[in-house]
């Protein structure tokens, strides 16, 4: 779930307005974007790069396997785009699109699991390896927000994730990797998966886990956190949100006690995670735990 | 999107699951007429929420006159904030055994999950607590569907119930879930009658909001959300606005950041007046967002907190500033801006209003809370 500068990236849906803007930013920053996919514009050039009809066609044109796909197509087309990427042998698929029917998501996640591919998202803002490259909608190029360093960050939300990166950098810390896992109720890479990835990453020395009310992912991640020696600090959004209401992220809905702020806080604290009431307190707490 | 029982049951009927004979009534007279035809019947409040029985919203009636009386009583109720506008009048069924059955989108297994319990007649939370061992949980690979072998080994034999009929009903329930892009398709109770038939006495259906575009006709029969006037305006414009009890207005982007802004307001001793986010595709709606947030007369100070990833802070700030003169805010406004487009956004703010955003979100929040003290 960490993207490296040498990895090739295909943008499915590259000709759209948002995709064009962000593909340019990715390329400028150092991401090895090799081109994109749009069945209606196969054979043309976009941003000086080739456009293929399918990911499979793109793969046939390469000498080596394509490492990563970034999916920015409208919701009805995502399922077939992901199946196409899997058929092309791509093992890392970052899905930025939101509002994809959940039955479609479950379908391509099952297919990805069988193909041994990782899916990040849907509805993620992307992944960033500061100083190297990024895939998604993140302001990696903004030096107030992202600087290379040793803090790994996991977030369901792009906007809140950006704020936390900014706070870390302003406090003099740097970032080893940002993993946006997405705000949907059913997603490929869970908080626990991302935590394990940062645990195994040599550059990461401490982790900021940005959670959210709803679901059981933070509770599950807490089980893994118990086995880690790297310090973890956490902020979870939604303590002041009324129960039973969808707060924009479909995942952020609390029914009864399941997914409540109190339950998540308790599980994380029992695993040795420092849980804080506002995100601005994360850098100070992490510095203390890292003794820097 | 939630559906009331009378709108959900036809989906079971369409896949061949029997439901009791009945009809919808909006008055005592209509209920009496249905009861005359059906004989001994049940009168059930139609509201998109559970626990109707405990709220007095379900009653038995032996005659048309009794049905009229019960219907009139129930139609005057409000259950969990929903006024009862109609009742479902159905034939009584001789119940031998009650079960719980549902298929739902499960975030843990990342696929459909079939739930079944031979202990029915109470809600799922109660079943999970009182009879955890009796609750069957069968994850399904949505590409393959519900497989007969897996279902057969998961469902226990139950005395006095025809096994084939039960398995057939569960298979059809899965079909109803799949064909209607359900988040949840639940039958509680599913009953076996004394003569061995399996019948759905209730049905709860939630349609995946992201799949509404492929079920437009069906969505028209869904229960409308309970929205305030301003919430309705937000929905019509295309952003999520939720009215709350406090007096510090919030205009932010991204669900996570907006919830966090509300949390920070509470943390520093204030109370948020609303949730309003214009992230994602809605980041061009700054103008309309300012109008809606200040449309709430309880708002005594306004916190504008933008942190841009995909949502460009210059576009959002530009939208808000464009509406400024027209809306003419009469409450103090506190800004925090960072992320994509922040330099342009800061310059616009300086030029138009002569102010700088606060250096951090926390400082802006503290000032906004202080202003209403």
């Amino acid at each position: 779930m960490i993207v490296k500068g040498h990895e090739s990236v295909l943008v499915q849906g590259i000709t759209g307005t948002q995709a064009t803007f962000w593909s340019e930013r990715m390329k400028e920053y150092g991401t090895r974007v090799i081109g994109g996919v749009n069945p209606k514009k196969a054979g043309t050039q976009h941003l000086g790069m080739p456009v293929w009809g399918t990911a499979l066609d793109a793969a046939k044109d390469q000498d080596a396997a394509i490492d990563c796909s970034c999916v920015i197509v409208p919701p009805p087309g995502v399922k077939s785009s992901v199946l196409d990427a899997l058929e092309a042998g791509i093992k890392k698929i970052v899905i930025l699109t939101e509002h994809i029917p959940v039955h479609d998501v479950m379908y391509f996640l099952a297919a990805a699991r069988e193909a041994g591919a990782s899916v990040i998202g849907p509805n993620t803002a992307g992944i960033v390896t500061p100083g190297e490259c990024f895939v998604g909608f993140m302001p990696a190029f903004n030096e107030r927000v992202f600087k290379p360093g040793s803090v790994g960050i996991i977030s369901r939300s792009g906007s809140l994730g950006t704020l936390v990166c900014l706070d870390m950098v302003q406090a003099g810390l740097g970032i080893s990797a940002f993993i946006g896992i997405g705000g949907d109720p059913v997603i490929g890479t869970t908080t626990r998966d991302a935590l394990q990835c940062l645990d195994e990453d040599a550059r990461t020395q401490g982790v900021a886990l940005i959670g959210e009310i709803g679901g059981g992912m933070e509770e599950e991640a807490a089980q893994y956190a118990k086995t880690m020696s790297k310090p973890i600090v956490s902020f979870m959004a939604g303590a002041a949100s009324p129960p039973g209401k969808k707060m924009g992220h479909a995942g952020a809905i609390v029914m009864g006690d399941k997914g409540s702020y109190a339950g998540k806080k308790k599980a994380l604290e029992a695993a040795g995670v420092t849980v804080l009431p506002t995100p601005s307190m994360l850098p100070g707490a992490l510095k203390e735990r890292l003794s820097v | 999107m939630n559906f009331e029982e009378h709108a959900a049951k036809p989906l079971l009927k369409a896949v061949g699951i029997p439901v009791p004979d009945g009809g919808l009534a909006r008055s005592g007279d209509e209920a009496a007429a249905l009861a005359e035809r059906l004989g001994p019947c049940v009168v059930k409040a139609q509201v998109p929420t559970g626990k109707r029985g405990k709220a007095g919203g379900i009653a038995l009636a032996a005659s048309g006159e009794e049905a009229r009386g019960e219907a009139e009583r129930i139609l005057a109720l409000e259950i969990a904030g929903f006024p009862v506008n109609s009742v479902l009048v159905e034939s009584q069924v001789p119940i031998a055994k009650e079960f719980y059955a549902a298929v739902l989108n499960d975030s843990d297994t990342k696929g459909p999950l079939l739930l079944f319990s031979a202990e029915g007649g109470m809600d799922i939370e109660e079943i999970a607590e009182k009879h955890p061992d009796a609750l069957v949980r069968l994850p399904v690979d949505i590409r393959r569907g519900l497989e007969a072998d897996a279902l057969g080994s998961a469902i226990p034999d139950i005395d006095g119930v025809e096994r084939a009929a039960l398995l057939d009903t569960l298979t059809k329930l899965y079909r109803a879930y799949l064909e209607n892009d359900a988040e949840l398709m639940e039958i509680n109770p599913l009953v076996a009658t004394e003569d061995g038939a399996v019948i759905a006495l209730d049905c709860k259906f939630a349609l995946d909001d992201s799949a509404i575009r492929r079920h437009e006709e069906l969505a028209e029969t869904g229960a409308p959300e309970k929205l305030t006037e301003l919430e309705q305006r937000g929905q019509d414009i295309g952003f999520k606005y939720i009215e709350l009890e406090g007096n510090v207005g919030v205009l932010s982007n991204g669900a996570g950041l907006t919830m966090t802004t509300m949390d920070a307001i509470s943390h520093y001793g204030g109370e948020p007046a609303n949730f309003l986010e214009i992230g994602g595709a809605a980041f061009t709606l700054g103008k309309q967002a300012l109008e809606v947030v200040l449309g709430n007369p309880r708002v005594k100070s306004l916190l504008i907190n933008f942190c841009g990833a995909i949502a460009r802070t210059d576009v959002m700030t530009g939208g808000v500033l464009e509406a400024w003169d027209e809306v003419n805010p009469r409450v103090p406004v506190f800004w925090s801006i960072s992320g994509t487009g922040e330099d342009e956004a800061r310059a616009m703010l300086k030029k138009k209003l002569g102010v700088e955003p606060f250096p951090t979100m926390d400082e802006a929040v503290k000032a906004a809370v202080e202003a209403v003290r």
Side-chain angles (χ1 to χ4, degrees), chain A residues 2 29 127-133 138-140 142-154 161-179 198 201 203-208 283 286:
Chain A
I2 294 176
Y29 191 67
I127 50 181
V128 185
T129 308
E132 272 189 49
C133 61
M138 290 295 290
N142 185 327
E143 285 173 6
R144 292 184 63 229
V145 181
F146 280 101
K147 253 188 202 145
S150 61
V151 180
I153 293 176
I154 302 167
T162 303
L163 180 73
V164 171
C165 292
L166 172 90
D167 285 346
M168 290 288 174
V169 169
Q170 295 307 305
L173 291 167
I175 293 155
S176 53
F178 171 88
I179 305 177
L198 292 175
D201 175 52
R203 269 204 285 204
T204 300
Q205 285 165 20
V207 175
L286 191 57

Side-chain angles (χ1 to χ4, degrees), chain A residues 18 21-22 75-76 98-114 125 137-139 141-142 144-145 157-164 166-167 184-190 193 212-213 215-217 220 235-242 245-249 252 255 258 261 277-281, chain B residues 1 104-112 125 141-144 177-183 207-211 213-214 226 231 240 242-244 253-260 262-264 266-268 272 275 277 279-281 283 305 307-312 336-343 346 359-362:
Chain A
Q18 292 293 345
F21 179 84
W22 288 97
E98 64 174 328
H99 304 306
I100 306 168
V102 177
H103 287 201
D104 287 6
V105 175
M106 297 188 303
Y107 193 102
F108 63 65
L109 288 183
R113 193 159 38 200
E114 204 165 79
F137 296 145
M138 290 295 290
F141 41 83
N142 185 327
R144 292 184 63 229
V145 181
S157 154
S159 53
L160 178 55
T162 303
L163 180 73
V164 171
L166 172 90
D167 285 346
D184 277 7
V186 179
I187 52 178
T189 296
T190 62
D193 299 336
E212 211 169 82
I213 54 165
M217 285 205 303
E220 189 204 17
F235 168 76
M236 281 169 300
S241 296
K245 292 239 181 196
K246 260 183 212 178
M247 291 285 167
H249 279 172
M255 299 307 292
K258 188 174 187 283
Y261 181 83
T278 79
S280 59
M281 296 176 182
Chain B
M1 173 180 269
L104 53 85
N105 295 342
D106 181 48
S107 48
D108 293 343
T109 58
K110 302 175 190 177
E125 288 82 5
D141 184 331
I142 197 168
R143 295 170 303 159
R144 298 191 178 88
Y177 155 87
L178 192 72
E179 287 175 1
N180 295 295
D181 266 302
E183 215 167 70
L207 171 63
D208 173 9
D209 289 338
S210 297
R213 78 188 72 204
R214 53 190 190 200
K226 217 173 43 177
E231 287 172 346
K240 186 85 184 173
I242 300 172
E243 217 167 304
L244 303 167
N253 67 283
L257 183 68
T258 309
M259 283 197 285
T260 302
M262 289 161 49
D263 296 342
S266 310
H267 179 72
Y268 289 114
F275 172 99
E277 78 110 340
F283 76 83
N305 184 21
C307 189
I310 179 180
R312 287 166 50 181
S336 166
I337 299 174
S338 45
T340 310
E342 63 175 43
D343 293 338
R346 281 160 184 274
T360 68
M361 173 181 112
D362 285 48

Side-chain angles (χ1 to χ4, degrees), chain A residues 263-282:
Chain A
K264 288 176 189 293
K265 182 168 189 271
K266 199 173 149 197
L268 287 171
E269 283 180 343
V273 176
T274 308
V275 180
L276 298 150
T278 79
S280 59
M281 296 176 182
L282 292 167

